[in-house]
Amino acid sequence: MKRDFILWIALLGGPIVWLISFETNFALAPWACIFQTKLALHVISIVALVLAAVSGLLAWQEWKGLSGEKEDRPGGSLPRSRSMALGGVLMSAMFFLVILAQSIPAIVLSACE
Amino acid sequence: MNQTEPIPNSSEREAQALRDLENSWQTPRGMIGWLSCTTHQAIGMRYIVTAFIFLLAGGIEALLIRLQLALPNNTLLGPDRYNEIFTTHGTTMMFLFAVPMMEGMAVYLVPLMLGTRNVAFPRLNAFGYWIYLAGAIFLYWGVFTNTAPDAGWFSYPPLSGPAYSPGKRVDFWAQMITFTEVSAMCVASELIATIFKMRAPGMSLNRIPLYCWSMLVQSFMVIFAMPAVMIASSYLLSDRTVGTHFVNPAEGGDPLLYQHVFWLFGHPEVYIIFIPALGFVSSIVTANSRREIFGYPGMVLSIVATGFIAFGLWVHHMFATGLPQIGEAYFTAASMMIAVTSGVQIFCWIATLWTGRLRMTAALHFVFGFIAIFVLGGLTGVILASVSLDVQVHDTFFVVAHFHYVLIGGALFPLFGAFYHWFPKITGRLMNEAVGKLNFWILFIGFNLTFFPMHILGLKGMTRRIYTYGSEMGWELGNILATIGAFIIAAGGVVFLINIFLSRNRGEIAGDNPWDADSFEWAAASPPKSYNFEYLPVATSRYPLWVAASERTFVTGLRNDRREVLVTTLMDAEPHHRLVLPRSSLWPLLTALAVTIGFIGSVFNAWYITYGSILTGLAFVGWFWPRLPVETKP
Ligand code: HEM
Ligand SMILES: [Cu+2]
């Protein structure tokens, strides 16, 4: 049960972190001009990148743990857990990239363009 | 419940079991029976047929548009009529054809593919269909009484507000939205429950057919996206009918708010139409390359990722509204990233096709057409994702060309492929393959002839939604080509209909599994019995029908004298408990009528919301009236 929970986090952590960070950044973009600082945007991007990386590492760890395990009975949950863990690694990587791509605008554009 | 017992072959018990199943799943005869039906095959078919009729209606409107634009200074349709027709075309195609068609195909196919007997909420399913039908009739009632919506398929205020759109036209549009969205939400919630909890034992998450994965993701998208458009249309409706100030700038409302909320739905909408089509493609590719799909995990992940990223794109429809540049750039980034996930899928299909033993069926032709068109449409999409280019071609025929490439190439071609692929399952007879291939080539040529010139027209400055243009613009050639193309598409449609009608009566008998395909729907009879499977199958592999027949197992121990199905666990699909599904019922229809009275009435008089709620409440009492779970007699 606990493992299943971790696997879901690993799988959906990346996209959820991305969604939240991106919506917050979008909402804060006009304020960057008003306060003449892009600090908040950068901070959110960095936090999101860290969280996406954490969910990726979590998935990676699960995956390594699972590849050592033996199937206890035919039709058990091992193959499914392995695919979820591997999926978690890939999903987190993908959304790490999306967050990264979205952190570029705040770097290259000025606050009031 | 023993899931590994071989089928008992005592023929007497067998015959009795079949009679019981037949009895408990049959729909009563006659009109009342028809109206109270709750089996997924019947309701799925109703969705499919109704949505197809609206494809024809939308197609006729498209022909009228093209006739009007064929020549400069044409007077076939006046400006007002033209507004009505392009709006009705867009609205019909998106809300009355594309989404309901995808829902209907899923209602029909998903329970079969999962190896179960019905969707999880059969009465909700029936209710959803009636609501859709009511909304569709409502819109076309307007169309035939000079009240067709005329403010574009997204009805932006202030144009659609009370000041510039007096009369009831926009109200009909807004309320039709409410109907179709309620219906889509019904299907989405029942599909999620079905896919999560009613899979064949053994069908763990990593064995779900890709089509069902795509419907799962699509259903979640419906649940998150549809409320947004209902809110948008309700803002609009209440601004118009009871004078609220949500989105009406004359009263201090914010029209940009409308755009945000609408596109928060509108962009995912494109994927709501397109993701099921990806599922069709995966099924057709697997069956016709006769090998396991390449990169199944990658496919699943990219469908899921697409489902998420689709919610981060909406502002790319609003690049011309002057939002802060940093904000816009987030959407450019996300719009480019979504190309990665589509790329993964295209790559996996090509790898599968490349290494498989291809059988060039008509369905596969449509898949190849899809891949070709979709790549082009995707390219123009990436162009539009860049703010500077988008502002240049915004609201020109370049955009019209782009979204038809995506919608027709990305959804209609796979859909036609799906018709050819599953027609034998639905009717028991094969469609004529030669005519099918002819059908494909006519559509493919007609499609490109219609929409390719529109890119050029757009670059030459022809804006969308204009009812005519002068001959000095240099737009004649492109327009006449597009009109000829549109009639070629129509000819393709006629060929398809002829093929359907001839094959239905005279086609070759298909048998259960004419394509030697891998998933459970092909284990059922063609056409499927009302209970789908005599014994629910067990999934021993991701491709359960490619397992040697001697190694396949079945579920025994379900009761046949009531509508029993097996509920399994979410992750590993282990048998959990038996569930008795409801039989036929008139209450979904009556509830839908009550809701319809409320919805339609409120367009004219806000008090109808109250009347409708009371009636609906009463209908719910009937619907939820406790009944004995054991229903031994029909
Ligand atoms: C059968 C072939 C089709 C043809 C020839 C066609 C033609 C057109 C044309 C010329 C327009 C632009 C009208 C204008 O801006 O003045 C248009 C708009 C549109 N079409 Fe199609 N179309 C076809 C099929 C479809 C399909 C299958 C869909 C969706 C699934 C669709 C969705 C739309 C939408 C959403 C609009 C925008 C309406 C608006 O501007 O409000 N069309 N179509
Ligand atoms: Cu979009």
Side-chain angles (χ1 to χ4, degrees), chain B residues 263 266-268 270-271 313-314 316-317:
Chain B
W263 287 113
H267 189 84
V270 178
Y271 286 86
L313 305 180
W314 82 91
H316 68 202
H317 298 270

Side-chain angles (χ1 to χ4, degrees), chain B residues 247-321:
Chain B
V247 293
N248 181 357
E251 305 278 359
D254 181 2
L256 267 195
L257 172 66
Y258 180 90
Q259 293 196 15
H260 277 297
V261 183
F262 184 88
W263 287 113
L264 189 56
F265 143 83
H267 189 84
E269 161 88 346
V270 178
Y271 286 86
I272 286 170
I273 296 171
F274 169 59
I275 286 182
L278 300 180
F280 295 148
V281 172
S282 293
S283 284
I284 298 172
V285 165
T286 315
N288 289 311
S289 47
R290 291 176 273 188
R291 60 150 289 171
E292 303 176 354
I293 195 101
F294 178 89
Y296 172 93
M299 294 285 254
V300 173
L301 293 177
S302 61
I303 299 171
V304 177
T306 309
F308 274 96
I309 302 181
F311 281 90
L313 305 180
W314 82 91
V315 166
H316 68 202
H317 298 270
M318 299 167 60
F319 280 160
T321 57

Side-chain angles (χ1 to χ4, degrees), chain A residues 102-113:
Chain A
Q102 290 190 328
S103 63
I104 297 171
I107 300 174
V108 297
L109 293 171
S110 72
C112 288
E113 270 179 271

Side-chain angles (χ1 to χ4, degrees), chain B residues 69 109 116 153 176 251 358 417 430-432 474 487 493 508:
Chain B
L69 293 181
L109 290 172
T116 187
W153 83 279
M176 181 280 306
E251 305 278 359
L358 287 200
L430 290 165
M431 279 177 89
N432 186 316
F487 278 87
E508 217 179 298

Side-chain angles (χ1 to χ4, degrees), chain B residues 33-364:
Chain B
W34 195 84
L35 294 173
S36 60
C37 174
T38 53
T39 59
H40 77 98
Q41 308 92 340
I43 299 198
M45 264 330 275
R46 289 178 198 176
Y47 265 111
I48 294 170
V49 170
T50 315
F52 198 88
I53 292 172
F54 284 102
L55 171 64
L56 297 182
I60 292 170
E61 287 142 15
L63 290 181
L64 287 172
I65 296 176
R66 284 315 325 167
L67 277 178
Q68 166 63 23
L69 293 181
L71 302 170
N73 301 316
N74 201 353
T75 53
L76 175 74
L77 304 172
D80 183 52
R81 189 67 68 206
Y82 188 81
N83 289 347
E84 283 188 304
I85 290 194
F86 78 70
T87 304
T88 308
H89 163 75
T91 307
T92 303
M93 287 298 197
M94 300 300 271
F95 297 105
L96 303 183
F97 156 65
V99 176
M101 178 62 92
M102 293 306 180
E103 304 287 20
M105 292 292 281
V107 165
Y108 196 101
L109 290 172
V110 163
L112 280 161
M113 274 194 188
L114 297 178
T116 187
R117 291 187 170 148
N118 203 343
V119 290
F121 313 126
R123 288 178 296 182
L124 188 69
N125 194 19
F127 171 77
Y129 173 75
W130 296 123
I131 282 288
Y132 156 57
L133 186 66
I137 293 175
F138 178 53
L139 187 78
Y140 271 76
W141 169 34
V143 169
F144 289 114
T145 54
N146 196 24
T147 323
D150 60 353
W153 83 279
F154 37 73
S155 289
Y156 277 176
L159 174 63
S160 62
Y164 302 101
S165 289
K168 287 287 169 206
R169 290 178 170 183
V170 173
D171 302 310
F172 273 57
W173 178 87
Q175 202 61 313
M176 181 280 306
I177 300 282
T178 320
F179 278 103
T180 51
E181 307 318 313
V182 168
S183 149
M185 302 265 289
C186 292
V187 178
S189 46
E190 89 213 9
L191 284 180
I192 291 176
T194 312
I195 297 173
F196 273 167
K197 298 299 292 178
M198 285 165 62
R199 306 198 299 271
M203 193 184 276
S204 50
L205 288 182
N206 54 331
R207 286 183 182 165
I208 302 182
L210 284 171
Y211 175 68
C212 295
W213 265 113
S214 63
M215 284 317 300
L216 181 68
V217 170
Q218 189 251 20
S219 302
F220 272 106
M221 295 181 69
V222 166
I223 290 204
F224 285 102
M226 296 290 175
V229 72
M230 274 165 70
I231 287 176
S233 65
S234 308
Y235 281 164
L236 186 62
L237 202 61
S238 58
D239 276 8
R240 292 174 51 86
T241 51
V242 293
T244 51
H245 308 166
F246 289 113
V247 293
N248 181 357
E251 305 278 359
D254 181 2
L256 267 195
L257 172 66
Y258 180 90
Q259 293 196 15
H260 277 297
V261 183
F262 184 88
W263 287 113
L264 189 56
F265 143 83
H267 189 84
E269 161 88 346
V270 178
Y271 286 86
I272 286 170
I273 296 171
F274 169 59
I275 286 182
L278 300 180
F280 295 148
V281 172
S282 293
S283 284
I284 298 172
V285 165
T286 315
N288 289 311
S289 47
R290 291 176 273 188
R291 60 150 289 171
E292 303 176 354
I293 195 101
F294 178 89
Y296 172 93
M299 294 285 254
V300 173
L301 293 177
S302 61
I303 299 171
V304 177
T306 309
F308 274 96
I309 302 181
F311 281 90
L313 305 180
W314 82 91
V315 166
H316 68 202
H317 298 270
M318 299 167 60
F319 280 160
T321 57
L323 294 167
Q325 268 204 9
I326 293 187
E328 288 187 343
Y330 292 136
F331 292 86
T332 306
S335 306
M336 305 249 173
M337 294 309 283
I338 206 163
V340 176
T341 59
S342 314
V344 169
Q345 303 212 24
I346 300 252
F347 174 77
C348 290
W349 290 318
I350 292 183
T352 312
L353 291 165
W354 202 274
T355 52
R357 292 176 295 129
L358 287 200
R359 182 175 41 205
M360 281 307 289
T361 54
L364 200 58

Side-chain angles (χ1 to χ4, degrees), chain A residues 56-85:
Chain A
L57 287 177
L58 214 63
W60 179 254
Q61 242 175 15
E62 274 305 307
W63 193 51
K64 281 211 322 219
L66 282 162
S67 28
E69 270 176 42
K70 283 256 168 352
E71 187 76 288
D72 47 352
R73 65 194 166 89
S77 59
L78 204 56
R80 186 267 299 159
S81 307
R82 280 192 193 132
S83 5
M84 280 180 85

